[in-house]
Amino acid sequence: MLPLLSGDPREIGPYRLVGRLGAGGMGVVYAGVDDVGRRVAVKLVHEPLSVDLEFRRRFSREISVLDGVEGVCLARVLGSDPGTERPWLATEYIPGPTIEQHVRAEGPLSGDALYGLAAGVAEALVAMHAAGVVHRDLKPSNVILAPGGPRLIDFGIAKVLDGSTMTHTGTLVGSPGWISPEEYGEGSAGTPADVYGWALLVFFAVTGEPPYGTGRPEVLAYRVREETPDTGAVPADLRGLVERALAKDPAERPAAAEVLAGVTDAWRDRADDLAEPEADATVMIQRTWVLSPGETTEWPEPPAPPTAPALKATPAVPAVRALPAGEPAAGARGRSGPSWVHAYIATAAAVTLVAVTAIIAAAATSSPPEPFQERSSDPSAVPKALAQSAAPTRPAPVAISATPVRTGETSTGATEKTRTVPRSGGEAVSFRGIAMTLPKGWRLLRVRKDLACIESPNARGSSGPWEFACRPDAMVLKTGAGPGSWPGNGIDDPHFGWVVGSPMPCLADGSVWRDPNGSYDDAIGEFGLYDGVYADGSSLRRSSLARMADGRKAAYREWVIPCMANGQYVQKVWYLPKSKVALFVLSARPEDGKGYRRVIASVNLAGYRYAAPL
C-alpha cells in the first residue's frame, strides 16, 4: 500500500481513506475503512471520465447491475455513488496475494490449490454472467488467493468503460496478452471472452508463464489472434476443457456453467476420499483450501471521524470537517455556488442522527428485563461485568503459537446497537417444523436430519481439517441439543462456554488460518498447521435473553475470542434448553448482525414435534 498523496481525498462517501492500493485506466483505488472499522477498496473515477456524460450513464447502469451480483468467489460491492461529481465504487477488501504474486514467490499451483482456483474463478463467472455482467479483464492480478479461497476482484469495470470493443479514443479495454481474439476485431466481447480469460488464468497458474509470452502490444495482439498456447503442462483431466475455452471462435467455447461443472467433476474424480461425493465446488474449496495468506499489508490508522457541531438556532456556515490546506474532499473539487447548503444539510442530518441514536440507546438500556420462559438458568449467574473480569485460570485448549500473519484485523464489530425487533418480510422457511423468516439473499441448507445451515450472502468461510458441518460464518440450527453436548454443556460456563472442541482454531473472518511456522504434530496431527486461539483471553461480552416469534426466550451468549496471531472473532449462541434447540454462529460477521437478529425474532417452534410447552 502506498501513502496518500497531498492531492488525494481523505474521505469518499462514508469511508475514511488510509492509503492507495493502485490505479488504472478508470480511476484510483484507495484503501479505506467504514465507521465500524471494516476494510474496503474504493475506486474513485478519474476526473476526465467524470465529466463524460455517456460514461456516467453507463457507469450508473452497470453499478445497478453489480449490486445484484452474488457469488462466493467474488468481491462484493458495498457501496457506490454514480451521481456525485467524482463517481466512486466501494467493494470489500480481500486480503491475500494475487495469483501473480503467489506464483512469483511460491511457484505454480498444483493439486487441490489448482483445482480450487479453476473452480473458484468459474463459480465467479457463473454468478456474474447470470446477472448480465461481463468481466473482460481476467488476469493474474485480478484474482486474489484469499484465506478462504480464490476471489475475483475488479469485476464489471472494464465493461463500464465501453459497451463495445474500443473506447472513444480507440484504445483497447483490457491488458495486452490477456485479451480475447474477438476483442481485437470488430465483434462484441461477451461472456465467451471471460471463458477465454479463465483458460489463460489456469494456464498461468500451471506454468507460471504468460500464455503468449511478453512483448510489445502489437506483437502480443498477433500471437493472440494467430497462435495457440501449448497446454501440455495442464493436468490431463482439465486439458480438454482448457483447450475448448481457448478456441479462437467464441461460439466454440463452453459456457461458464459448463466449465464449472467440468472442473468440479474432474476434481471430484481425483479426490476419492471426499466424505460427500456430490459436494459442490464451493464446499470442496472450503474443505481443501490451505494456501498461506502471504504477507499482510499494514494499514495505517485512519483519522478520527469528525465530531458533529452543536446545532445553533440560526446556523451559519458549519464545517463538516476541517481539511488541511490544499486538501480536496472527494467529489468537492471545482464546486461553486451554493456549497454552504450541502454543508448545512449534512451537518443537520448528522446532528439529527446522533440525537435519534442517543434516544434509542437510552430507551433500550432503561427497559426492564423480560421474564425468562425458557432458559437454562438465572441470567444473574453470569456477572454483568464479566467481560472486564480477570482472565480465567482453567487450562486453555491446545493452541498453536505463530508469528503474526496479519495484524490489526478483527471481527469484533458485532455489537447490537438497538433492541428493536427487525421488520418482517423475507423468505419463510421451515426445518423439522421450526419456522422462520430469512432476510433477502439468505438460504437454508439441510445438512443432516438434526442440523441445517443458514447462510447469508456474506458467508464464504472455510473450516479446513476441522470439517464443521456448516461454514464457520454461517448460522447453524441444531435440534436435539441436550445438556450433554455443546452448546448445552457450556451455556452457563462463564469462562469456556465457547469451546466446541480441542484444539480450537482461529476463526477470524469466518475461516481457519494457516500458521506459517506450524507443523504436523503427532498429538494433534494436521491441526498443528493452523493458527489457534488464546483461550485465557476470551471474554463473555453479552449474556441476555432473546425473544422469538412464538413468545419463547432463548438464552443468548456472545463471546469475544482472541487468536494467537490473527486478531479475534465473535461467537454468538442462542439456546432453548427445554426444547433442546440451538442456533449459533461460530464466527459472526459484523455486517450480518441485523440479519441474525431478524432470524431469531422470527423463529417459531409451534410445528416442532419436540418443542417444550409454553
Side-chain angles (χ1 to χ4, degrees), residues 3 46 91 114 118 123-124 162 181 220 255 270 292 332 336 407 454 470 574:
H46 288 314
T91 63
L114 173 62
E123 189 275 341
D162 199 357
L220 293 175
R270 70 182 298 273
S292 169
S336 60
T407 57
I454 303 171
C470 302
W574 299 264

Side-chain angles (χ1 to χ4, degrees), residues 304-317:
T307 302
L311 188 62
K312 299 180 180 180
T314 305
V317 184

Side-chain angles (χ1 to χ4, degrees), residues 461-526:
S462 61
S463 55
W466 277 266
E467 294 189 357
F468 297 125
C470 302
R471 299 179 187 273
D473 52 355
M475 178 179 275
V476 181
L477 170 57
K478 182 181 180 183
T479 59
S485 61
W486 191 88
N489 60 4
I491 199 68
D492 290 323
D493 184 343
H495 301 304
F496 296 95
W498 53 272
V499 178
V500 180
S502 179
M504 277 294 291
C506 170
L507 294 175
D509 291 335
S511 295
V512 297
W513 289 78
R514 283 295 295 267
D515 177 1
N517 297 320
S519 61
Y520 188 90
D521 188 278
D522 290 338
I524 60 175
E526 61 183 319

Side-chain angles (χ1 to χ4, degrees), residues 10 32 56 146 148 169 176-177 189 206 211 219 235 252 263 312 355 395 424 443 505 569:
R10 266 47 182 178
R56 296 179 71 94
T169 60
V206 171
V219 174
E252 297 179 2
V263 174
K312 299 180 180 180
S424 60
R443 63 177 182 172
Y569 62 98

Side-chain angles (χ1 to χ4, degrees), residues 181-491:
E182 61 267 26
E183 292 177 88
Y184 285 106
E186 297 180 357
S188 61
T191 56
D194 283 349
V195 173
Y196 187 88
W198 170 85
L200 298 182
L201 285 175
V202 173
F203 181 94
F204 179 82
V206 171
T207 65
E209 299 292 337
Y212 295 102
T214 58
R216 298 190 306 274
E218 59 272 21
V219 174
L220 293 175
Y222 174 81
R223 293 172 182 169
V224 169
R225 298 170 70 174
E226 303 298 332
E227 299 178 3
T228 300
D230 181 3
T231 59
V234 178
D237 51 2
L238 291 179
R239 190 178 306 145
L241 198 61
V242 169
E243 290 175 348
R244 289 177 58 202
L246 287 174
K248 302 299 183 184
D249 184 355
E252 297 179 2
R253 298 173 200 154
E258 185 180 350
V259 171
L260 177 58
V263 174
T264 304
D265 289 343
W267 194 5
R268 192 184 292 126
D269 289 343
R270 70 182 298 273
D272 296 331
D273 58 337
L274 280 179
E276 297 181 17
E278 296 303 319
D280 63 20
T282 57
V283 172
M284 296 171 72
I285 291 173
Q286 176 186 354
R287 292 185 175 179
T288 63
W289 192 261
V290 292
L291 290 180
S292 169
E295 295 185 4
T296 302
T297 302
E298 294 289 346
W299 283 49
E301 286 295 324
T307 302
L311 188 62
K312 299 180 180 180
T314 305
V317 184
V320 177
R321 187 174 72 91
L323 293 174
E327 177 185 323
R333 294 186 209 173
R335 185 189 297 272
S336 60
S339 60
W340 65 271
V341 175
H342 300 279
Y344 173 68
I345 292 174
T347 304
V351 173
T352 303
L353 179 60
V354 171
V356 172
T357 303
I359 293 172
I360 294 175
T365 55
S366 63
S367 301
E370 298 176 347
F372 192 16
Q373 296 180 7
E374 177 166 355
R375 59 181 174 84
S376 58
S377 65
D378 188 338
S380 63
V382 181
K384 184 177 181 180
L386 183 61
Q388 288 78 36
S389 63
T393 57
R394 175 177 169 182
V398 178
I400 304 97
S401 61
T403 302
V405 178
R406 56 178 191 153
T407 57
E409 196 165 329
T410 65
S411 298
T412 58
T415 303
E416 300 180 28
K417 297 183 179 180
T418 69
R419 289 302 180 197
T420 56
V421 178
R423 65 183 183 275
S424 60
E427 180 185 2
V429 297
S430 178
F431 177 73
R432 300 194 65 187
I434 302 174
M436 67 193 72
T437 301
L438 304 184
K440 181 181 179 181
W442 291 43
R443 63 177 182 172
L444 185 143
L445 305 174
R446 294 164 177 82
V447 178
R448 301 195 311 246
K449 181 179 179 181
D450 64 332
L451 186 143
C453 306
I454 303 171
E455 292 187 350
S456 79
N458 306 316
R460 43 182 86 178
S462 61
S463 55
W466 277 266
E467 294 189 357
F468 297 125
C470 302
R471 299 179 187 273
D473 52 355
M475 178 179 275
V476 181
L477 170 57
K478 182 181 180 183
T479 59
S485 61
W486 191 88
N489 60 4
I491 199 68

Side-chain angles (χ1 to χ4, degrees), residues 7-13 17 20 22-30 42-52 55-56 59 63 79-90 328-335:
D8 286 331
R10 266 47 182 178
E11 291 183 355
I12 297 179
L17 307 185
R20 279 177 164 236
M26 177 183 171
V28 180
V29 182
Y30 294 99
V42 186
K43 175 164 285 191
L44 183 65
V45 171
H46 288 314
E47 286 193 60
L49 285 174
S50 66
V51 298
D52 185 330
F55 166 82
R56 296 179 71 94
F59 183 84
I63 290 302
S80 62
D81 189 351
T84 190
E85 292 186 26
R86 295 278 301 280
W88 56 268
L89 171 71
R333 294 186 209 173
R335 185 189 297 272

